[in-house]
């Protein structure tokens, strides 16, 4: 069974940093791209970042709203993906979802991690 | 960026009756490889999103056959043939033809 578990969320002050982790199981982690999405309270879904598998170069794509502040990485030996979030803003407050990429879609989603940016 | 527009915003439906959600993109979603990367997701209250349909009309594993997707180019539709109580939630279309990936604003399906 495919499982994705996000951790590392919490309350952080504006301008500070936070790192989310996504621990995966139930599939060969290194073979698949991954993507993070977020959902602000009461709002719709927003794509954040995408990382390809190492076989496809491990390259990344970022939403304009987070480019230069967020960094995605992956440790295939541990089946963990990381989302390093720097210079956080109040508008980054959201539930962050880690997803497995199934080819042209996110086929499995984690339960999400709440990040609250507030002073 | 490709803008995705969903209608209606809200869809009150009687149990057992059909529901239909429309999604329109600001430009064609046909990829250079010939595929159209339009998917539909369901988000039940308090739950993460769940993939229902990918590549316009392909049902994901475990998705009931009362859900169907259709369309081409810039116009797409999700249909629920007979709404059940467990179908209550918000439905999103999403395009993955090009980055940035973008979503429609969501359609809330509720029971009358």
């Amino acid at each position: 069974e495919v499982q994705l578990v996000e951790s590392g969320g919490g309350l952080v002050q504006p301008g500070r940093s936070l790192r989310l982790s996504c621990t995966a199981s139930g599939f060969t982690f290194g073979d698949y791209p991954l993507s993070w999405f977020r959902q602000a309270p009461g709002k719709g879904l927003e794509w954040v970042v995408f990382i390809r598998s190492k076989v496809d170069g491990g390259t990344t794509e970022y939403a304009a709203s987070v480019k230069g502040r967020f960094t995605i990485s992956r440790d295939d030996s541990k089946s963990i993906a990381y989302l390093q979030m720097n210079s956080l803003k109040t508008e980054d407050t959201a539930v962050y979802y880690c997803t497995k990429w199934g080819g042209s879609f996110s086929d499995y989603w984690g339960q999400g991690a709440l990040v609250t940016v507030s002073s | 960026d490709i803008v995705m527009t969903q209608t209606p915003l809200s869809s009150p439906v009687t149990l057992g009756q059909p529901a239909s959600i429309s999604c329109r993109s600001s430009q064609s979603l046909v990829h250079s490889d010939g595929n159209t990367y339009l998917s539909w997701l369901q988000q039940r209250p308090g739950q993460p999103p769940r993939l229902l349909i990918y590549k316009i009309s392909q049902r994901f594993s475990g998705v009931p056959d009362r859900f169907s997707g259709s369309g081409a180019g810039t116009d797409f539709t999700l249909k629920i043939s007979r709404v059940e109580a467990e179908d209550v939630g918000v439905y999103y279309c999403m395009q993955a033809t090009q980055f940035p990936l973008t979503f429609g604003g969501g359609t809330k399906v509720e029971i009358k």
Side-chain angles (χ1 to χ4, degrees), chain A residues 37 39 44-45 47 50 52 61 97 101 104-107 109-111, chain B residues 37 41 43 48-49 51 54-55 60 92 94 96 99-101 103:
Chain A
F37 297 85
Q39 187 170 36
L45 296 167
W47 168 73
F50 179 90
R52 295 174 179 83
E61 307 285 345
Y97 295 104
W101 196 248
S104 63
F105 45 86
S106 286
D107 52 3
W109 294 62
Q111 288 295 310
Chain B
Y37 296 119
L41 300 103
Q43 188 173 31
L51 177 67
Y54 62 95
K55 284 203 281 188
F60 186 58
Y92 297 93
M94 187 192 90
F99 289 101
L101 310 182
F103 289 88

PDB file of all heavy atoms in Angstrom, chain A residues 37 39 44-45 47 50 52 61 97 101 104-107 109-111, chain B residues 37 41 43 48-49 51 54-55 60 92 94 96 99-101 103:
ATOM      1  N   PHE A  37       2.048  20.173  -2.986  1.00  0.00           N
ATOM      2  CA  PHE A  37       0.975  21.136  -3.202  1.00  0.00           C
ATOM      3  C   PHE A  37       0.644  21.744  -1.852  1.00  0.00           C
ATOM      4  O   PHE A  37       1.038  21.229  -0.799  1.00  0.00           O
ATOM      5  CB  PHE A  37      -0.279  20.437  -3.761  1.00  0.00           C
ATOM      6  CG  PHE A  37      -0.086  19.810  -5.113  1.00  0.00           C
ATOM      7  CD1 PHE A  37       0.440  18.528  -5.225  1.00  0.00           C
ATOM      8  CD2 PHE A  37      -0.431  20.492  -6.271  1.00  0.00           C
ATOM      9  CE1 PHE A  37       0.624  17.934  -6.471  1.00  0.00           C
ATOM     10  CE2 PHE A  37      -0.257  19.905  -7.514  1.00  0.00           C
ATOM     11  CZ  PHE A  37       0.275  18.628  -7.620  1.00  0.00           C
ATOM     12  N   GLN A  39      -2.579  24.119   0.422  1.00  0.00           N
ATOM     13  CA  GLN A  39      -3.958  24.609   0.461  1.00  0.00           C
ATOM     14  C   GLN A  39      -4.086  25.540   1.654  1.00  0.00           C
ATOM     15  O   GLN A  39      -4.032  25.096   2.807  1.00  0.00           O
ATOM     16  CB  GLN A  39      -4.924  23.435   0.578  1.00  0.00           C
ATOM     17  CG  GLN A  39      -6.381  23.805   0.467  1.00  0.00           C
ATOM     18  CD  GLN A  39      -7.266  22.572   0.337  1.00  0.00           C
ATOM     19  OE1 GLN A  39      -7.004  21.531   0.929  1.00  0.00           O
ATOM     20  NE2 GLN A  39      -8.337  22.679  -0.442  1.00  0.00           N
ATOM     21  N   GLY A  44      -8.515  26.968  -2.267  1.00  0.00           N
ATOM     22  CA  GLY A  44      -8.303  25.868  -3.199  1.00  0.00           C
ATOM     23  C   GLY A  44      -6.868  25.350  -3.173  1.00  0.00           C
ATOM     24  O   GLY A  44      -6.057  25.738  -2.332  1.00  0.00           O
ATOM     25  N   LEU A  45      -6.590  24.470  -4.125  1.00  0.00           N
ATOM     26  CA  LEU A  45      -5.282  23.827  -4.198  1.00  0.00           C
ATOM     27  C   LEU A  45      -4.300  24.635  -5.028  1.00  0.00           C
ATOM     28  O   LEU A  45      -4.678  25.248  -6.035  1.00  0.00           O
ATOM     29  CB  LEU A  45      -5.444  22.432  -4.804  1.00  0.00           C
ATOM     30  CG  LEU A  45      -6.276  21.453  -3.971  1.00  0.00           C
ATOM     31  CD1 LEU A  45      -6.640  20.228  -4.791  1.00  0.00           C
ATOM     32  CD2 LEU A  45      -5.538  21.060  -2.710  1.00  0.00           C
ATOM     33  N   TRP A  47      -0.246  24.300  -6.618  1.00  0.00           N
ATOM     34  CA  TRP A  47       0.978  23.543  -6.817  1.00  0.00           C
ATOM     35  C   TRP A  47       2.164  24.364  -6.314  1.00  0.00           C
ATOM     36  O   TRP A  47       2.211  25.592  -6.485  1.00  0.00           O
ATOM     37  CB  TRP A  47       1.152  23.227  -8.301  1.00  0.00           C
ATOM     38  CG  TRP A  47       2.513  22.701  -8.621  1.00  0.00           C
ATOM     39  CD1 TRP A  47       3.016  21.462  -8.316  1.00  0.00           C
ATOM     40  CD2 TRP A  47       3.560  23.400  -9.291  1.00  0.00           C
ATOM     41  NE1 TRP A  47       4.310  21.359  -8.755  1.00  0.00           N
ATOM     42  CE2 TRP A  47       4.668  22.526  -9.359  1.00  0.00           C
ATOM     43  CE3 TRP A  47       3.672  24.675  -9.849  1.00  0.00           C
ATOM     44  CZ2 TRP A  47       5.875  22.893  -9.955  1.00  0.00           C
ATOM     45  CZ3 TRP A  47       4.865  25.037 -10.458  1.00  0.00           C
ATOM     46  CH2 TRP A  47       5.954  24.139 -10.494  1.00  0.00           C
ATOM     47  N   PHE A  50       8.053  20.513  -7.842  1.00  0.00           N
ATOM     48  CA  PHE A  50       8.089  19.201  -8.489  1.00  0.00           C
ATOM     49  C   PHE A  50       9.545  18.774  -8.612  1.00  0.00           C
ATOM     50  O   PHE A  50      10.404  19.603  -8.932  1.00  0.00           O
ATOM     51  CB  PHE A  50       7.443  19.327  -9.872  1.00  0.00           C
ATOM     52  CG  PHE A  50       7.419  18.069 -10.694  1.00  0.00           C
ATOM     53  CD1 PHE A  50       6.350  17.196 -10.601  1.00  0.00           C
ATOM     54  CD2 PHE A  50       8.444  17.765 -11.587  1.00  0.00           C
ATOM     55  CE1 PHE A  50       6.289  16.051 -11.377  1.00  0.00           C
ATOM     56  CE2 PHE A  50       8.400  16.621 -12.372  1.00  0.00           C
ATOM     57  CZ  PHE A  50       7.320  15.768 -12.258  1.00  0.00           C
ATOM     58  N   ARG A  52      11.924  15.595 -10.329  1.00  0.00           N
ATOM     59  CA  ARG A  52      11.944  14.389 -11.156  1.00  0.00           C
ATOM     60  C   ARG A  52      12.782  13.303 -10.485  1.00  0.00           C
ATOM     61  O   ARG A  52      13.533  13.571  -9.545  1.00  0.00           O
ATOM     62  CB  ARG A  52      12.487  14.726 -12.545  1.00  0.00           C
ATOM     63  CG  ARG A  52      11.580  15.680 -13.321  1.00  0.00           C
ATOM     64  CD  ARG A  52      12.165  16.129 -14.641  1.00  0.00           C
ATOM     65  NE  ARG A  52      11.245  17.011 -15.357  1.00  0.00           N
ATOM     66  CZ  ARG A  52      11.131  18.309 -15.142  1.00  0.00           C
ATOM     67  NH1 ARG A  52      11.892  18.898 -14.248  1.00  0.00           N
ATOM     68  NH2 ARG A  52      10.257  19.033 -15.818  1.00  0.00           N
ATOM     69  N   GLU A  61      11.092  21.914 -10.573  1.00  0.00           N
ATOM     70  CA  GLU A  61      10.269  23.017 -11.050  1.00  0.00           C
ATOM     71  C   GLU A  61       9.630  23.670  -9.825  1.00  0.00           C
ATOM     72  O   GLU A  61       9.216  22.965  -8.911  1.00  0.00           O
ATOM     73  CB  GLU A  61       9.151  22.507 -11.983  1.00  0.00           C
ATOM     74  CG  GLU A  61       9.613  21.637 -13.133  1.00  0.00           C
ATOM     75  CD  GLU A  61      10.273  22.405 -14.251  1.00  0.00           C
ATOM     76  OE1 GLU A  61      10.131  23.644 -14.279  1.00  0.00           O
ATOM     77  OE2 GLU A  61      10.921  21.753 -15.099  1.00  0.00           O
ATOM     78  N   TYR A  97       0.826  19.287   1.112  1.00  0.00           N
ATOM     79  CA  TYR A  97       0.646  17.887   0.744  1.00  0.00           C
ATOM     80  C   TYR A  97       1.806  17.398  -0.119  1.00  0.00           C
ATOM     81  O   TYR A  97       2.173  18.053  -1.097  1.00  0.00           O
ATOM     82  CB  TYR A  97      -0.641  17.700  -0.057  1.00  0.00           C
ATOM     83  CG  TYR A  97      -1.919  17.996   0.679  1.00  0.00           C
ATOM     84  CD1 TYR A  97      -2.623  19.171   0.446  1.00  0.00           C
ATOM     85  CD2 TYR A  97      -2.447  17.086   1.591  1.00  0.00           C
ATOM     86  CE1 TYR A  97      -3.819  19.435   1.105  1.00  0.00           C
ATOM     87  CE2 TYR A  97      -3.636  17.339   2.261  1.00  0.00           C
ATOM     88  CZ  TYR A  97      -4.310  18.520   2.016  1.00  0.00           C
ATOM     89  OH  TYR A  97      -5.490  18.770   2.672  1.00  0.00           O
ATOM     90  N   TRP A 101       4.057  11.162  -8.027  1.00  0.00           N
ATOM     91  CA  TRP A 101       3.668  11.499  -9.392  1.00  0.00           C
ATOM     92  C   TRP A 101       3.555  10.224 -10.212  1.00  0.00           C
ATOM     93  O   TRP A 101       4.512   9.451 -10.313  1.00  0.00           O
ATOM     94  CB  TRP A 101       4.722  12.435 -10.000  1.00  0.00           C
ATOM     95  CG  TRP A 101       4.284  13.151 -11.227  1.00  0.00           C
ATOM     96  CD1 TRP A 101       4.756  12.977 -12.497  1.00  0.00           C
ATOM     97  CD2 TRP A 101       3.302  14.205 -11.320  1.00  0.00           C
ATOM     98  NE1 TRP A 101       4.136  13.835 -13.360  1.00  0.00           N
ATOM     99  CE2 TRP A 101       3.234  14.597 -12.670  1.00  0.00           C
ATOM    100  CE3 TRP A 101       2.470  14.830 -10.391  1.00  0.00           C
ATOM    101  CZ2 TRP A 101       2.365  15.603 -13.114  1.00  0.00           C
ATOM    102  CZ3 TRP A 101       1.618  15.824 -10.840  1.00  0.00           C
ATOM    103  CH2 TRP A 101       1.575  16.199 -12.184  1.00  0.00           C
ATOM    104  N   SER A 104       1.440  11.607 -15.165  1.00  0.00           N
ATOM    105  CA  SER A 104       0.986  12.939 -15.565  1.00  0.00           C
ATOM    106  C   SER A 104      -0.001  13.475 -14.548  1.00  0.00           C
ATOM    107  O   SER A 104      -0.806  14.356 -14.855  1.00  0.00           O
ATOM    108  CB  SER A 104       0.308  12.870 -16.940  1.00  0.00           C
ATOM    109  OG  SER A 104      -0.848  12.044 -16.863  1.00  0.00           O
ATOM    110  N   PHE A 105       0.084  12.927 -13.360  1.00  0.00           N
ATOM    111  CA  PHE A 105      -0.885  13.259 -12.328  1.00  0.00           C
ATOM    112  C   PHE A 105      -0.325  12.811 -10.977  1.00  0.00           C
ATOM    113  O   PHE A 105       0.557  11.944 -10.916  1.00  0.00           O
ATOM    114  CB  PHE A 105      -2.217  12.529 -12.595  1.00  0.00           C
ATOM    115  CG  PHE A 105      -2.025  11.076 -12.964  1.00  0.00           C
ATOM    116  CD1 PHE A 105      -1.924  10.099 -11.984  1.00  0.00           C
ATOM    117  CD2 PHE A 105      -1.920  10.689 -14.297  1.00  0.00           C
ATOM    118  CE1 PHE A 105      -1.723   8.762 -12.320  1.00  0.00           C
ATOM    119  CE2 PHE A 105      -1.712   9.353 -14.642  1.00  0.00           C
ATOM    120  CZ  PHE A 105      -1.618   8.399 -13.652  1.00  0.00           C
ATOM    121  N   SER A 106      -0.855  13.424  -9.929  1.00  0.00           N
ATOM    122  CA  SER A 106      -0.499  12.976  -8.575  1.00  0.00           C
ATOM    123  C   SER A 106      -1.460  11.874  -8.176  1.00  0.00           C
ATOM    124  O   SER A 106      -2.642  12.130  -7.944  1.00  0.00           O
ATOM    125  CB  SER A 106      -0.600  14.154  -7.600  1.00  0.00           C
ATOM    126  OG  SER A 106       0.483  15.038  -7.773  1.00  0.00           O
ATOM    127  N   ASP A 107      -0.964  10.646  -8.126  1.00  0.00           N
ATOM    128  CA  ASP A 107      -1.878   9.532  -7.882  1.00  0.00           C
ATOM    129  C   ASP A 107      -2.059   9.217  -6.405  1.00  0.00           C
ATOM    130  O   ASP A 107      -3.087   8.634  -6.035  1.00  0.00           O
ATOM    131  CB  ASP A 107      -1.477   8.280  -8.674  1.00  0.00           C
ATOM    132  CG  ASP A 107      -0.024   7.873  -8.493  1.00  0.00           C
ATOM    133  OD1 ASP A 107       0.698   8.525  -7.701  1.00  0.00           O
ATOM    134  OD2 ASP A 107       0.383   6.904  -9.152  1.00  0.00           O
ATOM    135  N   TRP A 109      -1.668  10.942  -2.368  1.00  0.00           N
ATOM    136  CA  TRP A 109      -1.470  12.147  -1.570  1.00  0.00           C
ATOM    137  C   TRP A 109      -1.289  11.769  -0.108  1.00  0.00           C
ATOM    138  O   TRP A 109      -1.939  10.843   0.395  1.00  0.00           O
ATOM    139  CB  TRP A 109      -2.696  13.060  -1.690  1.00  0.00           C
ATOM    140  CG  TRP A 109      -2.913  13.630  -3.053  1.00  0.00           C
ATOM    141  CD1 TRP A 109      -3.167  12.941  -4.212  1.00  0.00           C
ATOM    142  CD2 TRP A 109      -2.910  15.009  -3.400  1.00  0.00           C
ATOM    143  NE1 TRP A 109      -3.311  13.818  -5.265  1.00  0.00           N
ATOM    144  CE2 TRP A 109      -3.168  15.083  -4.787  1.00  0.00           C
ATOM    145  CE3 TRP A 109      -2.724  16.198  -2.690  1.00  0.00           C
ATOM    146  CZ2 TRP A 109      -3.231  16.313  -5.467  1.00  0.00           C
ATOM    147  CZ3 TRP A 109      -2.793  17.404  -3.355  1.00  0.00           C
ATOM    148  CH2 TRP A 109      -3.045  17.458  -4.741  1.00  0.00           C
ATOM    149  N   GLY A 110      -0.407  12.512   0.581  1.00  0.00           N
ATOM    150  CA  GLY A 110      -0.309  12.349   2.014  1.00  0.00           C
ATOM    151  C   GLY A 110      -1.464  13.053   2.710  1.00  0.00           C
ATOM    152  O   GLY A 110      -2.296  13.690   2.059  1.00  0.00           O
ATOM    153  N   GLN A 111      -1.499  12.941   4.020  1.00  0.00           N
ATOM    154  CA  GLN A 111      -2.565  13.566   4.813  1.00  0.00           C
ATOM    155  C   GLN A 111      -2.348  15.059   4.993  1.00  0.00           C
ATOM    156  O   GLN A 111      -3.278  15.792   5.329  1.00  0.00           O
ATOM    157  CB  GLN A 111      -2.667  12.900   6.183  1.00  0.00           C
ATOM    158  CG  GLN A 111      -3.254  11.505   6.154  1.00  0.00           C
ATOM    159  CD  GLN A 111      -4.715  11.505   5.701  1.00  0.00           C
ATOM    160  OE1 GLN A 111      -5.539  12.264   6.203  1.00  0.00           O
ATOM    161  NE2 GLN A 111      -5.047  10.636   4.761  1.00  0.00           N
TER     162      GLN A 111
ATOM    163  N   TYR B  37      -3.214  16.305 -20.575  1.00  0.00           N
ATOM    164  CA  TYR B  37      -2.997  15.998 -19.162  1.00  0.00           C
ATOM    165  C   TYR B  37      -3.946  16.795 -18.266  1.00  0.00           C
ATOM    166  O   TYR B  37      -3.557  17.738 -17.563  1.00  0.00           O
ATOM    167  CB  TYR B  37      -1.534  16.238 -18.807  1.00  0.00           C
ATOM    168  CG  TYR B  37      -0.605  15.308 -19.556  1.00  0.00           C
ATOM    169  CD1 TYR B  37       0.363  15.797 -20.428  1.00  0.00           C
ATOM    170  CD2 TYR B  37      -0.725  13.927 -19.401  1.00  0.00           C
ATOM    171  CE1 TYR B  37       1.202  14.931 -21.118  1.00  0.00           C
ATOM    172  CE2 TYR B  37       0.114  13.056 -20.091  1.00  0.00           C
ATOM    173  CZ  TYR B  37       1.070  13.562 -20.943  1.00  0.00           C
ATOM    174  OH  TYR B  37       1.897  12.692 -21.621  1.00  0.00           O
ATOM    175  N   LEU B  41      -9.840  15.749  -9.324  1.00  0.00           N
ATOM    176  CA  LEU B  41      -9.630  15.300  -7.947  1.00  0.00           C
ATOM    177  C   LEU B  41     -10.858  15.588  -7.109  1.00  0.00           C
ATOM    178  O   LEU B  41     -11.580  16.554  -7.361  1.00  0.00           O
ATOM    179  CB  LEU B  41      -8.414  15.994  -7.338  1.00  0.00           C
ATOM    180  CG  LEU B  41      -7.093  15.764  -8.062  1.00  0.00           C
ATOM    181  CD1 LEU B  41      -6.709  16.973  -8.880  1.00  0.00           C
ATOM    182  CD2 LEU B  41      -5.995  15.430  -7.087  1.00  0.00           C
ATOM    183  N   GLN B  43     -12.089  16.159  -3.073  1.00  0.00           N
ATOM    184  CA  GLN B  43     -11.653  16.401  -1.702  1.00  0.00           C
ATOM    185  C   GLN B  43     -12.864  16.374  -0.793  1.00  0.00           C
ATOM    186  O   GLN B  43     -13.664  17.312  -0.781  1.00  0.00           O
ATOM    187  CB  GLN B  43     -10.899  17.722  -1.568  1.00  0.00           C
ATOM    188  CG  GLN B  43     -10.281  17.897  -0.184  1.00  0.00           C
ATOM    189  CD  GLN B  43      -9.384  19.113  -0.090  1.00  0.00           C
ATOM    190  OE1 GLN B  43      -9.592  20.121  -0.753  1.00  0.00           O
ATOM    191  NE2 GLN B  43      -8.360  19.033   0.753  1.00  0.00           N
ATOM    192  N   PRO B  48      -7.540  14.805   2.549  1.00  0.00           N
ATOM    193  CA  PRO B  48      -6.689  15.279   1.443  1.00  0.00           C
ATOM    194  C   PRO B  48      -7.379  14.997   0.117  1.00  0.00           C
ATOM    195  O   PRO B  48      -8.315  14.190   0.050  1.00  0.00           O
ATOM    196  CB  PRO B  48      -5.422  14.436   1.596  1.00  0.00           C
ATOM    197  CG  PRO B  48      -5.874  13.192   2.289  1.00  0.00           C
ATOM    198  CD  PRO B  48      -6.991  13.610   3.196  1.00  0.00           C
ATOM    199  N   PRO B  49      -6.935  15.647  -0.933  1.00  0.00           N
ATOM    200  CA  PRO B  49      -7.490  15.350  -2.256  1.00  0.00           C
ATOM    201  C   PRO B  49      -7.201  13.904  -2.650  1.00  0.00           C
ATOM    202  O   PRO B  49      -6.253  13.269  -2.160  1.00  0.00           O
ATOM    203  CB  PRO B  49      -6.744  16.326  -3.175  1.00  0.00           C
ATOM    204  CG  PRO B  49      -6.285  17.418  -2.280  1.00  0.00           C
ATOM    205  CD  PRO B  49      -5.967  16.752  -0.975  1.00  0.00           C
ATOM    206  N   LEU B  51      -7.241  11.396  -6.282  1.00  0.00           N
ATOM    207  CA  LEU B  51      -7.329  11.368  -7.736  1.00  0.00           C
ATOM    208  C   LEU B  51      -8.517  10.526  -8.175  1.00  0.00           C
ATOM    209  O   LEU B  51      -8.685   9.387  -7.735  1.00  0.00           O
ATOM    210  CB  LEU B  51      -6.045  10.785  -8.323  1.00  0.00           C
ATOM    211  CG  LEU B  51      -6.011  10.624  -9.844  1.00  0.00           C
ATOM    212  CD1 LEU B  51      -6.031  11.990 -10.527  1.00  0.00           C
ATOM    213  CD2 LEU B  51      -4.782   9.822 -10.268  1.00  0.00           C
ATOM    214  N   TYR B  54      -7.709  10.777 -14.722  1.00  0.00           N
ATOM    215  CA  TYR B  54      -6.520  11.378 -15.327  1.00  0.00           C
ATOM    216  C   TYR B  54      -6.604  11.261 -16.851  1.00  0.00           C
ATOM    217  O   TYR B  54      -7.369  10.439 -17.371  1.00  0.00           O
ATOM    218  CB  TYR B  54      -5.237  10.733 -14.786  1.00  0.00           C
ATOM    219  CG  TYR B  54      -5.101   9.256 -15.085  1.00  0.00           C
ATOM    220  CD1 TYR B  54      -4.392   8.809 -16.190  1.00  0.00           C
ATOM    221  CD2 TYR B  54      -5.683   8.310 -14.232  1.00  0.00           C
ATOM    222  CE1 TYR B  54      -4.270   7.453 -16.457  1.00  0.00           C
ATOM    223  CE2 TYR B  54      -5.572   6.956 -14.497  1.00  0.00           C
ATOM    224  CZ  TYR B  54      -4.859   6.535 -15.603  1.00  0.00           C
ATOM    225  OH  TYR B  54      -4.738   5.189 -15.862  1.00  0.00           O
ATOM    226  N   LYS B  55      -5.831  12.060 -17.529  1.00  0.00           N
ATOM    227  CA  LYS B  55      -5.844  12.115 -19.009  1.00  0.00           C
ATOM    228  C   LYS B  55      -7.277  12.137 -19.529  1.00  0.00           C
ATOM    229  O   LYS B  55      -7.689  11.303 -20.346  1.00  0.00           O
ATOM    230  CB  LYS B  55      -5.043  10.954 -19.597  1.00  0.00           C
ATOM    231  CG  LYS B  55      -3.534  11.176 -19.474  1.00  0.00           C
ATOM    232  CD  LYS B  55      -2.713  10.387 -20.478  1.00  0.00           C
ATOM    233  CE  LYS B  55      -2.554   8.970 -20.080  1.00  0.00           C
ATOM    234  NZ  LYS B  55      -1.587   8.247 -20.951  1.00  0.00           N
ATOM    235  N   PHE B  60      -9.037   6.363 -12.164  1.00  0.00           N
ATOM    236  CA  PHE B  60      -7.947   5.834 -11.357  1.00  0.00           C
ATOM    237  C   PHE B  60      -8.427   4.586 -10.624  1.00  0.00           C
ATOM    238  O   PHE B  60      -9.628   4.356 -10.460  1.00  0.00           O
ATOM    239  CB  PHE B  60      -7.460   6.891 -10.369  1.00  0.00           C
ATOM    240  CG  PHE B  60      -6.240   6.481  -9.584  1.00  0.00           C
ATOM    241  CD1 PHE B  60      -5.068   6.130 -10.234  1.00  0.00           C
ATOM    242  CD2 PHE B  60      -6.262   6.438  -8.200  1.00  0.00           C
ATOM    243  CE1 PHE B  60      -3.944   5.739  -9.524  1.00  0.00           C
ATOM    244  CE2 PHE B  60      -5.143   6.068  -7.471  1.00  0.00           C
ATOM    245  CZ  PHE B  60      -3.985   5.705  -8.142  1.00  0.00           C
ATOM    246  N   TYR B  92     -11.943  19.328  -8.059  1.00  0.00           N
ATOM    247  CA  TYR B  92     -11.000  20.207  -8.741  1.00  0.00           C
ATOM    248  C   TYR B  92     -10.542  19.575 -10.050  1.00  0.00           C
ATOM    249  O   TYR B  92     -10.249  18.375 -10.107  1.00  0.00           O
ATOM    250  CB  TYR B  92      -9.748  20.448  -7.892  1.00  0.00           C
ATOM    251  CG  TYR B  92      -9.975  21.154  -6.588  1.00  0.00           C
ATOM    252  CD1 TYR B  92     -10.184  20.442  -5.406  1.00  0.00           C
ATOM    253  CD2 TYR B  92      -9.947  22.551  -6.507  1.00  0.00           C
ATOM    254  CE1 TYR B  92     -10.375  21.087  -4.196  1.00  0.00           C
ATOM    255  CE2 TYR B  92     -10.141  23.207  -5.292  1.00  0.00           C
ATOM    256  CZ  TYR B  92     -10.347  22.465  -4.155  1.00  0.00           C
ATOM    257  OH  TYR B  92     -10.543  23.116  -2.961  1.00  0.00           O
ATOM    258  N   MET B  94      -7.369  19.795 -12.776  1.00  0.00           N
ATOM    259  CA  MET B  94      -5.975  20.207 -12.741  1.00  0.00           C
ATOM    260  C   MET B  94      -5.310  19.892 -14.084  1.00  0.00           C
ATOM    261  O   MET B  94      -5.534  18.822 -14.647  1.00  0.00           O
ATOM    262  CB  MET B  94      -5.207  19.466 -11.644  1.00  0.00           C
ATOM    263  CG  MET B  94      -3.786  19.975 -11.429  1.00  0.00           C
ATOM    264  SD  MET B  94      -2.775  18.897 -10.408  1.00  0.00           S
ATOM    265  CE  MET B  94      -2.073  17.825 -11.652  1.00  0.00           C
ATOM    266  N   ALA B  96      -1.728  19.329 -16.152  1.00  0.00           N
ATOM    267  CA  ALA B  96      -0.314  19.023 -15.992  1.00  0.00           C
ATOM    268  C   ALA B  96       0.379  19.017 -17.353  1.00  0.00           C
ATOM    269  O   ALA B  96       1.413  18.379 -17.532  1.00  0.00           O
ATOM    270  CB  ALA B  96      -0.139  17.683 -15.296  1.00  0.00           C
ATOM    271  N   PHE B  99       4.178  23.409 -16.866  1.00  0.00           N
ATOM    272  CA  PHE B  99       4.410  24.080 -15.604  1.00  0.00           C
ATOM    273  C   PHE B  99       4.186  25.574 -15.791  1.00  0.00           C
ATOM    274  O   PHE B  99       4.491  26.124 -16.847  1.00  0.00           O
ATOM    275  CB  PHE B  99       5.838  23.814 -15.110  1.00  0.00           C
ATOM    276  CG  PHE B  99       6.050  22.411 -14.635  1.00  0.00           C
ATOM    277  CD1 PHE B  99       6.681  21.482 -15.451  1.00  0.00           C
ATOM    278  CD2 PHE B  99       5.610  22.009 -13.382  1.00  0.00           C
ATOM    279  CE1 PHE B  99       6.873  20.187 -15.030  1.00  0.00           C
ATOM    280  CE2 PHE B  99       5.794  20.708 -12.937  1.00  0.00           C
ATOM    281  CZ  PHE B  99       6.435  19.790 -13.771  1.00  0.00           C
ATOM    282  N   PRO B 100       3.631  26.256 -14.781  1.00  0.00           N
ATOM    283  CA  PRO B 100       3.194  25.720 -13.493  1.00  0.00           C
ATOM    284  C   PRO B 100       1.904  24.906 -13.611  1.00  0.00           C
ATOM    285  O   PRO B 100       1.026  25.236 -14.404  1.00  0.00           O
ATOM    286  CB  PRO B 100       2.958  26.979 -12.655  1.00  0.00           C
ATOM    287  CG  PRO B 100       2.578  28.012 -13.654  1.00  0.00           C
ATOM    288  CD  PRO B 100       3.386  27.713 -14.882  1.00  0.00           C
ATOM    289  N   LEU B 101       1.819  23.836 -12.846  1.00  0.00           N
ATOM    290  CA  LEU B 101       0.584  23.081 -12.773  1.00  0.00           C
ATOM    291  C   LEU B 101      -0.480  23.995 -12.172  1.00  0.00           C
ATOM    292  O   LEU B 101      -0.206  24.742 -11.225  1.00  0.00           O
ATOM    293  CB  LEU B 101       0.755  21.851 -11.887  1.00  0.00           C
ATOM    294  CG  LEU B 101       1.965  20.960 -12.177  1.00  0.00           C
ATOM    295  CD1 LEU B 101       1.960  19.752 -11.243  1.00  0.00           C
ATOM    296  CD2 LEU B 101       1.998  20.526 -13.632  1.00  0.00           C
ATOM    297  N   PHE B 103      -4.831  24.647 -11.122  1.00  0.00           N
ATOM    298  CA  PHE B 103      -6.107  24.052 -10.751  1.00  0.00           C
ATOM    299  C   PHE B 103      -7.268  24.989 -11.078  1.00  0.00           C
ATOM    300  O   PHE B 103      -7.101  26.225 -11.080  1.00  0.00           O
ATOM    301  CB  PHE B 103      -6.168  23.823  -9.241  1.00  0.00           C
ATOM    302  CG  PHE B 103      -5.277  22.731  -8.730  1.00  0.00           C
ATOM    303  CD1 PHE B 103      -3.967  23.005  -8.383  1.00  0.00           C
ATOM    304  CD2 PHE B 103      -5.751  21.440  -8.594  1.00  0.00           C
ATOM    305  CE1 PHE B 103      -3.137  22.006  -7.897  1.00  0.00           C
ATOM    306  CE2 PHE B 103      -4.933  20.428  -8.111  1.00  0.00           C
ATOM    307  CZ  PHE B 103      -3.619  20.722  -7.758  1.00  0.00           C
TER     308      PHE B 103
END
